[in-house]
mmCIF file of all heavy atoms in Angstrom:
data_model
loop_
_atom_site.group_PDB
_atom_site.id
_atom_site.type_symbol
_atom_site.label_atom_id
_atom_site.label_comp_id
_atom_site.label_asym_id
_atom_site.label_seq_id
_atom_site.Cartn_x
_atom_site.Cartn_y
_atom_site.Cartn_z
ATOM 1 N N ARG A 1159 -13.459 -13.204 84.920
ATOM 2 C CA ARG A 1159 -12.406 -12.423 84.114
ATOM 3 C C ARG A 1159 -10.985 -12.799 84.414
ATOM 4 O O ARG A 1159 -10.245 -13.170 83.495
ATOM 5 C CB ARG A 1159 -12.635 -10.971 84.406
ATOM 6 C CG ARG A 1159 -11.669 -9.995 83.641
ATOM 7 C CD ARG A 1159 -11.572 -8.693 84.493
ATOM 8 N NE ARG A 1159 -11.005 -8.936 85.755
ATOM 9 C CZ ARG A 1159 -11.217 -8.135 86.786
ATOM 10 N NH1 ARG A 1159 -11.950 -7.142 86.672
ATOM 11 N NH2 ARG A 1159 -10.589 -8.415 87.967
ATOM 12 N N ASP A 1160 -10.665 -13.013 85.663
ATOM 13 C CA ASP A 1160 -9.265 -13.329 86.071
ATOM 14 C C ASP A 1160 -8.958 -14.662 85.581
ATOM 15 O O ASP A 1160 -7.809 -15.021 85.130
ATOM 16 C CB ASP A 1160 -9.074 -13.208 87.479
ATOM 17 C CG ASP A 1160 -9.211 -11.699 87.965
ATOM 18 O OD1 ASP A 1160 -8.945 -10.873 87.156
ATOM 19 O OD2 ASP A 1160 -9.479 -11.546 89.170
ATOM 20 N N THR A 1161 -9.933 -15.658 85.659
ATOM 21 C CA THR A 1161 -9.615 -16.999 85.183
ATOM 22 C C THR A 1161 -9.401 -16.954 83.626
ATOM 23 O O THR A 1161 -8.506 -17.700 83.148
ATOM 24 C CB THR A 1161 -10.878 -17.893 85.437
ATOM 25 O OG1 THR A 1161 -11.065 -17.953 86.844
ATOM 26 C CG2 THR A 1161 -10.683 -19.328 84.954
ATOM 27 N N ALA A 1162 -10.150 -16.203 82.899
ATOM 28 C CA ALA A 1162 -9.932 -16.101 81.452
ATOM 29 C C ALA A 1162 -8.562 -15.542 81.106
ATOM 30 O O ALA A 1162 -7.914 -16.047 80.280
ATOM 31 C CB ALA A 1162 -11.096 -15.196 80.842
ATOM 32 N N VAL A 1163 -8.181 -14.452 81.925
ATOM 33 C CA VAL A 1163 -6.918 -13.887 81.663
ATOM 34 C C VAL A 1163 -5.754 -14.847 81.975
ATOM 35 O O VAL A 1163 -4.779 -14.997 81.203
ATOM 36 C CB VAL A 1163 -6.746 -12.604 82.570
ATOM 37 C CG1 VAL A 1163 -5.439 -12.083 82.466
ATOM 38 C CG2 VAL A 1163 -7.767 -11.512 82.100
ATOM 39 N N ILE A 1164 -5.929 -15.560 83.011
ATOM 40 C CA ILE A 1164 -4.874 -16.521 83.457
ATOM 41 C C ILE A 1164 -4.772 -17.683 82.441
ATOM 42 O O ILE A 1164 -3.603 -18.215 82.127
ATOM 43 C CB ILE A 1164 -5.206 -17.182 84.788
ATOM 44 C CG1 ILE A 1164 -5.134 -16.060 85.906
ATOM 45 C CG2 ILE A 1164 -4.305 -18.254 85.104
ATOM 46 C CD1 ILE A 1164 -5.683 -16.515 87.211
ATOM 47 N N GLY A 1165 -5.816 -17.977 81.786
ATOM 48 C CA GLY A 1165 -5.866 -19.076 80.772
ATOM 49 C C GLY A 1165 -5.196 -18.589 79.422
ATOM 50 O O GLY A 1165 -4.991 -19.477 78.578
ATOM 51 N N MET A 1166 -4.922 -17.397 79.293
ATOM 52 C CA MET A 1166 -4.312 -16.868 78.047
ATOM 53 C C MET A 1166 -2.791 -16.904 78.089
ATOM 54 O O MET A 1166 -2.267 -16.744 79.119
ATOM 55 C CB MET A 1166 -4.719 -15.471 77.728
ATOM 56 C CG MET A 1166 -6.221 -15.303 77.505
ATOM 57 S SD MET A 1166 -6.647 -13.517 77.187
ATOM 58 C CE MET A 1166 -8.321 -13.647 76.986
ATOM 59 N N ARG A 1167 -2.165 -17.163 77.094
ATOM 60 C CA ARG A 1167 -0.679 -17.108 76.964
ATOM 61 C C ARG A 1167 -0.310 -15.712 76.633
ATOM 62 O O ARG A 1167 -0.750 -15.032 75.712
ATOM 63 C CB ARG A 1167 -0.155 -18.015 75.891
ATOM 64 C CG ARG A 1167 -0.369 -19.479 76.147
ATOM 65 C CD ARG A 1167 0.412 -20.371 75.204
ATOM 66 N NE ARG A 1167 0.101 -20.037 73.833
ATOM 67 C CZ ARG A 1167 0.857 -20.508 72.858
ATOM 68 N NH1 ARG A 1167 1.894 -21.218 73.097
ATOM 69 N NH2 ARG A 1167 0.622 -20.159 71.574
ATOM 70 N N GLN A 1168 0.587 -15.200 77.459
ATOM 71 C CA GLN A 1168 1.110 -13.775 77.248
ATOM 72 C C GLN A 1168 1.592 -13.590 75.845
ATOM 73 O O GLN A 1168 1.427 -12.556 75.267
ATOM 74 C CB GLN A 1168 2.163 -13.455 78.256
ATOM 75 C CG GLN A 1168 1.710 -13.470 79.730
ATOM 76 C CD GLN A 1168 2.735 -12.799 80.651
ATOM 77 O OE1 GLN A 1168 3.516 -11.849 80.200
ATOM 78 N NE2 GLN A 1168 2.688 -13.260 81.904
ATOM 79 N N ARG A 1169 2.315 -14.549 75.238
ATOM 80 C CA ARG A 1169 2.915 -14.333 73.867
ATOM 81 C C ARG A 1169 1.744 -14.122 72.899
ATOM 82 O O ARG A 1169 1.830 -13.255 71.914
ATOM 83 C CB ARG A 1169 3.627 -15.608 73.469
ATOM 84 C CG ARG A 1169 4.201 -15.506 72.131
ATOM 85 C CD ARG A 1169 4.835 -16.864 71.635
ATOM 86 N NE ARG A 1169 5.762 -17.395 72.569
ATOM 87 C CZ ARG A 1169 6.358 -18.580 72.437
ATOM 88 N NH1 ARG A 1169 5.976 -19.338 71.445
ATOM 89 N NH2 ARG A 1169 7.244 -19.025 73.252
ATOM 90 N N ASP A 1170 0.624 -14.840 73.081
ATOM 91 C CA ASP A 1170 -0.493 -14.583 72.142
ATOM 92 C C ASP A 1170 -1.047 -13.237 72.217
ATOM 93 O O ASP A 1170 -1.356 -12.536 71.272
ATOM 94 C CB ASP A 1170 -1.685 -15.590 72.391
ATOM 95 C CG ASP A 1170 -1.261 -17.011 72.143
ATOM 96 O OD1 ASP A 1170 -0.282 -17.183 71.346
ATOM 97 O OD2 ASP A 1170 -1.938 -17.947 72.630
ATOM 98 N N VAL A 1171 -1.152 -12.700 73.448
ATOM 99 C CA VAL A 1171 -1.623 -11.335 73.641
ATOM 100 C C VAL A 1171 -0.655 -10.282 73.000
ATOM 101 O O VAL A 1171 -1.093 -9.397 72.293
ATOM 102 C CB VAL A 1171 -1.835 -11.041 75.212
ATOM 103 C CG1 VAL A 1171 -2.256 -9.599 75.305
ATOM 104 C CG2 VAL A 1171 -2.792 -11.982 75.729
ATOM 105 N N TYR A 1172 0.638 -10.472 73.229
ATOM 106 C CA TYR A 1172 1.642 -9.535 72.722
ATOM 107 C C TYR A 1172 1.626 -9.559 71.194
ATOM 108 O O TYR A 1172 1.715 -8.487 70.517
ATOM 109 C CB TYR A 1172 3.033 -9.884 73.233
ATOM 110 C CG TYR A 1172 3.123 -9.781 74.704
ATOM 111 C CD1 TYR A 1172 4.078 -10.496 75.380
ATOM 112 C CD2 TYR A 1172 2.339 -8.902 75.432
ATOM 113 C CE1 TYR A 1172 4.209 -10.374 76.703
ATOM 114 C CE2 TYR A 1172 2.425 -8.667 76.771
ATOM 115 C CZ TYR A 1172 3.431 -9.461 77.457
ATOM 116 O OH TYR A 1172 3.637 -9.380 78.818
ATOM 117 N N GLU A 1173 1.387 -10.757 70.565
ATOM 118 C CA GLU A 1173 1.330 -10.819 69.098
ATOM 119 C C GLU A 1173 0.111 -10.111 68.549
ATOM 120 O O GLU A 1173 0.168 -9.440 67.479
ATOM 121 C CB GLU A 1173 1.426 -12.231 68.681
ATOM 122 C CG GLU A 1173 2.711 -13.008 68.956
ATOM 123 C CD GLU A 1173 2.692 -14.445 68.559
ATOM 124 O OE1 GLU A 1173 1.557 -14.943 68.228
ATOM 125 O OE2 GLU A 1173 3.683 -15.111 68.658
ATOM 126 N N GLU A 1174 -0.984 -10.244 69.160
ATOM 127 C CA GLU A 1174 -2.251 -9.532 68.810
ATOM 128 C C GLU A 1174 -2.067 -8.088 68.918
ATOM 129 O O GLU A 1174 -2.747 -7.330 68.067
ATOM 130 C CB GLU A 1174 -3.449 -10.026 69.570
ATOM 131 C CG GLU A 1174 -3.866 -11.501 69.261
ATOM 132 C CD GLU A 1174 -4.314 -11.655 67.861
ATOM 133 O OE1 GLU A 1174 -5.013 -10.709 67.384
ATOM 134 O OE2 GLU A 1174 -4.042 -12.639 67.197
ATOM 135 N N LEU A 1175 -1.375 -7.537 69.856
ATOM 136 C CA LEU A 1175 -1.277 -6.104 70.030
ATOM 137 C C LEU A 1175 -0.712 -5.391 68.717
ATOM 138 O O LEU A 1175 -1.023 -4.281 68.411
ATOM 139 C CB LEU A 1175 -0.323 -5.804 71.204
ATOM 140 C CG LEU A 1175 -0.924 -5.951 72.596
ATOM 141 C CD1 LEU A 1175 0.073 -5.712 73.643
ATOM 142 C CD2 LEU A 1175 -2.075 -4.925 72.774
ATOM 143 N N ALA A 1176 0.150 -6.186 68.043
ATOM 144 C CA ALA A 1176 0.752 -5.554 66.873
ATOM 145 C C ALA A 1176 -0.294 -5.249 65.703
ATOM 146 O O ALA A 1176 -0.052 -4.533 64.821
ATOM 147 C CB ALA A 1176 1.844 -6.505 66.331
ATOM 148 N N PHE A 1177 -1.459 -6.015 65.767
ATOM 149 C CA PHE A 1177 -2.445 -5.960 64.736
ATOM 150 C C PHE A 1177 -3.615 -5.020 65.197
ATOM 151 O O PHE A 1177 -4.492 -4.887 64.435
ATOM 152 C CB PHE A 1177 -2.909 -7.340 64.371
ATOM 153 C CG PHE A 1177 -1.862 -8.158 63.741
ATOM 154 C CD1 PHE A 1177 -1.122 -9.105 64.629
ATOM 155 C CD2 PHE A 1177 -1.409 -8.037 62.423
ATOM 156 C CE1 PHE A 1177 -0.126 -9.878 64.067
ATOM 157 C CE2 PHE A 1177 -0.432 -8.851 61.919
ATOM 158 C CZ PHE A 1177 0.216 -9.808 62.725
ATOM 159 N N LEU A 1178 -3.583 -4.505 66.331
ATOM 160 C CA LEU A 1178 -4.733 -3.701 66.797
ATOM 161 C C LEU A 1178 -4.418 -2.197 66.643
ATOM 162 O O LEU A 1178 -3.262 -1.805 66.675
ATOM 163 C CB LEU A 1178 -5.026 -4.026 68.278
ATOM 164 C CG LEU A 1178 -5.384 -5.441 68.655
ATOM 165 C CD1 LEU A 1178 -5.545 -5.614 70.120
ATOM 166 C CD2 LEU A 1178 -6.677 -5.866 67.915
ATOM 167 N N GLY A 1179 -5.488 -1.434 66.577
ATOM 168 C CA GLY A 1179 -5.348 -0.065 66.406
ATOM 169 C C GLY A 1179 -6.328 0.732 67.257
ATOM 170 O O GLY A 1179 -7.435 0.204 67.539
ATOM 171 N N GLY A 1180 -6.027 1.958 67.524
ATOM 172 C CA GLY A 1180 -6.968 2.772 68.279
ATOM 173 C C GLY A 1180 -7.493 2.311 69.606
ATOM 174 O O GLY A 1180 -6.683 1.764 70.388
ATOM 175 N N ALA A 1181 -8.757 2.347 69.728
ATOM 176 C CA ALA A 1181 -9.358 1.864 71.011
ATOM 177 C C ALA A 1181 -9.087 0.401 71.236
ATOM 178 O O ALA A 1181 -8.890 -0.030 72.399
ATOM 179 C CB ALA A 1181 -10.898 2.102 71.020
ATOM 180 N N GLU A 1182 -9.036 -0.426 70.108
ATOM 181 C CA GLU A 1182 -8.801 -1.825 70.311
ATOM 182 C C GLU A 1182 -7.355 -2.009 70.979
ATOM 183 O O GLU A 1182 -7.202 -2.907 71.787
ATOM 184 C CB GLU A 1182 -8.943 -2.533 69.052
ATOM 185 C CG GLU A 1182 -10.380 -2.588 68.474
ATOM 186 C CD GLU A 1182 -10.337 -3.359 67.069
ATOM 187 O OE1 GLU A 1182 -9.294 -3.384 66.426
ATOM 188 O OE2 GLU A 1182 -11.414 -3.810 66.787
ATOM 189 N N HIS A 1183 -6.454 -1.152 70.577
ATOM 190 C CA HIS A 1183 -5.074 -1.339 71.142
ATOM 191 C C HIS A 1183 -5.052 -1.019 72.596
ATOM 192 O O HIS A 1183 -4.447 -1.628 73.386
ATOM 193 C CB HIS A 1183 -4.178 -0.340 70.375
ATOM 194 C CG HIS A 1183 -2.745 -0.542 70.772
ATOM 195 N ND1 HIS A 1183 -2.188 0.142 71.890
ATOM 196 C CD2 HIS A 1183 -1.678 -1.314 70.298
ATOM 197 C CE1 HIS A 1183 -0.873 -0.203 71.942
ATOM 198 N NE2 HIS A 1183 -0.584 -1.082 71.084
ATOM 199 N N ASP A 1184 -5.896 0.042 72.942
ATOM 200 C CA ASP A 1184 -5.971 0.332 74.425
ATOM 201 C C ASP A 1184 -6.496 -0.769 75.239
ATOM 202 O O ASP A 1184 -6.076 -1.063 76.266
ATOM 203 C CB ASP A 1184 -6.923 1.671 74.598
ATOM 204 C CG ASP A 1184 -6.201 2.916 73.964
ATOM 205 O OD1 ASP A 1184 -5.066 2.908 73.795
ATOM 206 O OD2 ASP A 1184 -7.018 3.801 73.640
ATOM 207 N N ILE A 1185 -7.590 -1.461 74.616
ATOM 208 C CA ILE A 1185 -8.161 -2.616 75.350
ATOM 209 C C ILE A 1185 -7.087 -3.721 75.503
ATOM 210 O O ILE A 1185 -6.898 -4.393 76.518
ATOM 211 C CB ILE A 1185 -9.326 -3.194 74.559
ATOM 212 C CG1 ILE A 1185 -10.487 -2.126 74.662
ATOM 213 C CG2 ILE A 1185 -9.851 -4.463 75.152
ATOM 214 C CD1 ILE A 1185 -11.705 -2.508 73.751
ATOM 215 N N GLY A 1186 -6.347 -3.894 74.419
ATOM 216 C CA GLY A 1186 -5.308 -4.888 74.404
ATOM 217 C C GLY A 1186 -4.203 -4.648 75.465
ATOM 218 O O GLY A 1186 -3.696 -5.534 76.116
ATOM 219 N N MET A 1187 -3.855 -3.357 75.464
ATOM 220 C CA MET A 1187 -2.808 -2.992 76.467
ATOM 221 C C MET A 1187 -3.356 -3.225 77.975
ATOM 222 O O MET A 1187 -2.646 -3.632 78.767
ATOM 223 C CB MET A 1187 -2.491 -1.485 76.358
ATOM 224 C CG MET A 1187 -1.637 -1.225 75.081
ATOM 225 S SD MET A 1187 -0.024 -2.056 75.222
ATOM 226 C CE MET A 1187 0.659 -1.405 76.649
ATOM 227 N N GLY A 1188 -4.672 -2.968 78.126
ATOM 228 C CA GLY A 1188 -5.234 -3.217 79.397
ATOM 229 C C GLY A 1188 -5.152 -4.766 79.773
ATOM 230 O O GLY A 1188 -4.806 -5.075 80.861
ATOM 231 N N LEU A 1189 -5.430 -5.577 78.829
ATOM 232 C CA LEU A 1189 -5.310 -7.013 78.995
ATOM 233 C C LEU A 1189 -3.852 -7.359 79.302
ATOM 234 O O LEU A 1189 -3.536 -8.235 80.160
ATOM 235 C CB LEU A 1189 -5.779 -7.723 77.824
ATOM 236 C CG LEU A 1189 -5.769 -9.282 77.820
ATOM 237 C CD1 LEU A 1189 -6.563 -9.749 79.020
ATOM 238 C CD2 LEU A 1189 -6.364 -9.844 76.558
ATOM 239 N N LYS A 1190 -2.873 -6.769 78.585
ATOM 240 C CA LYS A 1190 -1.504 -7.036 78.795
ATOM 241 C C LYS A 1190 -1.088 -6.730 80.272
ATOM 242 O O LYS A 1190 -0.392 -7.488 80.898
ATOM 243 C CB LYS A 1190 -0.624 -6.228 77.894
ATOM 244 C CG LYS A 1190 0.878 -6.246 78.126
ATOM 245 C CD LYS A 1190 1.570 -5.429 77.108
ATOM 246 C CE LYS A 1190 3.101 -5.387 77.404
ATOM 247 N NZ LYS A 1190 3.432 -4.740 78.659
ATOM 248 N N LEU A 1191 -1.559 -5.491 80.765
ATOM 249 C CA LEU A 1191 -1.348 -5.148 82.102
ATOM 250 C C LEU A 1191 -1.934 -6.059 83.099
ATOM 251 O O LEU A 1191 -1.393 -6.396 84.167
ATOM 252 C CB LEU A 1191 -1.765 -3.683 82.334
ATOM 253 C CG LEU A 1191 -1.043 -2.646 81.566
ATOM 254 C CD1 LEU A 1191 -1.752 -1.261 81.806
ATOM 255 C CD2 LEU A 1191 0.444 -2.606 81.955
ATOM 256 N N GLY A 1192 -3.141 -6.572 82.696
ATOM 257 C CA GLY A 1192 -3.875 -7.459 83.605
ATOM 258 C C GLY A 1192 -3.062 -8.750 83.769
ATOM 259 O O GLY A 1192 -2.917 -9.361 84.829
ATOM 260 N N LEU A 1193 -2.450 -9.244 82.628
ATOM 261 C CA LEU A 1193 -1.660 -10.476 82.750
ATOM 262 C C LEU A 1193 -0.463 -10.344 83.660
ATOM 263 O O LEU A 1193 0.065 -11.188 84.283
ATOM 264 C CB LEU A 1193 -1.149 -10.875 81.280
ATOM 265 C CG LEU A 1193 -2.155 -11.589 80.430
ATOM 266 C CD1 LEU A 1193 -1.664 -11.631 79.024
ATOM 267 C CD2 LEU A 1193 -2.452 -12.937 80.964
#
């Protein structure tokens, strides 16, 4: 899990958050905090 998170670019995660809603947004925020 940590390897996958490290391999992501923070900018990509932040951009995706704008298109997520509800529970999906919560998951995205969790990933953002993980980064």
Side-chain angles (χ1 to χ4, degrees):
R1159 178 202 63 207
D1160 293 335
T1161 300
V1163 170
I1164 293 168
M1166 296 180 181
R1167 295 191 306 169
Q1168 293 193 31
R1169 181 190 302 175
D1170 293 341
V1171 176
Y1172 296 155
E1173 290 177 352
E1174 287 297 323
L1175 284 175
F1177 298 97
L1178 298 178
E1182 291 179 338
H1183 185 272
D1184 294 337
I1185 294 174
M1187 286 300 296
L1189 182 55
K1190 172 181 177 293
L1191 294 174
L1193 281 166

